[in-house]
Amino acid sequence: RRPTRRPTLSPSKRPTVNPTPLPTRRPTNNDIVYFDTGATGGTSWSGNIVGFSYYGKNPTSYPMIIMLTTDNASTWYVGFDSRKVSITKVENGQSNLMGALLAGQSEIITNWRNSGFDLVLKVNEIARESNPVIVNLEITFGPQGASSLTSSSTGREPTAVPTLRPTPRPTPRPTPRPT
């Protein structure tokens, strides 16, 4: 079939539906958590966040965004869009999605703040049955004390009992050379 009318180059009517207005209020401290990891490791943050869709009408006391403090011109944001947790880096006005995580997944940012330590973001759970949907998130930076020294970080399993103390001095004669 052929159209009965020829289309015009410009619309003849104004749109009947207005676009969604932008938020008119600034984010509050309840909306954003500012997490300064420091530069030497050993810090962590864990808690719940809610999705961006609750901006301006958050029915909980949980934040929507975790802002990771850095020492340079970039800023990192962690948030939830009702399906996945997104990790976004903003630098020089450019926004880049650096990762998207589902429940049980982790993202590692190596050499965070040029410290030699990694920043690990882990999504423990996305509670879709709750209203609003709540995400349980954990962020760790560098070693987390003595309990963090496990077989995965040392490469060896711990011994069942402590090893014997070293001898106070070397043996008197060296052992013969193998042949």
Side-chain angles (χ1 to χ4, degrees), residues 25 28-33 47-65 80 127 130-135:
R25 72 174 189 85
T28 66
N29 285 341
N30 292 337
D31 297 327
I32 299 176
V33 168
N48 296 324
I49 62 173
V50 296
F52 301 131
S53 61
Y54 290 98
Y55 183 80
K57 56 185 189 279
N58 185 350
T60 72
S61 60
Y62 301 134
M64 286 178 274
I65 297 169
F80 179 62
S130 67
N131 187 12
V133 176
I134 294 172
V135 174

Side-chain angles (χ1 to χ4, degrees), residues 111-126:
N111 196 22
W112 176 251
R113 295 176 91 168
N114 294 316
S115 65
F117 296 119
D118 296 340
L119 182 78
V120 179
L121 298 103
K122 182 180 181 194
V123 177
N124 294 317
E125 178 185 13
I126 299 176

Side-chain angles (χ1 to χ4, degrees), residues 35-45 68-69 71 108-121 138-145 148:
F35 177 46
D36 185 352
T37 61
T40 58
T43 57
S44 65
W45 181 91
L68 303 173
T69 305
D71 290 334
I108 298 172
I109 303 171
T110 57
N111 196 22
W112 176 251
R113 295 176 91 168
N114 294 316
S115 65
F117 296 119
D118 296 340
L119 182 78
V120 179
L121 298 103
E138 184 178 338
I139 304 170
T140 56
F141 172 52
Q144 299 297 304
S148 68

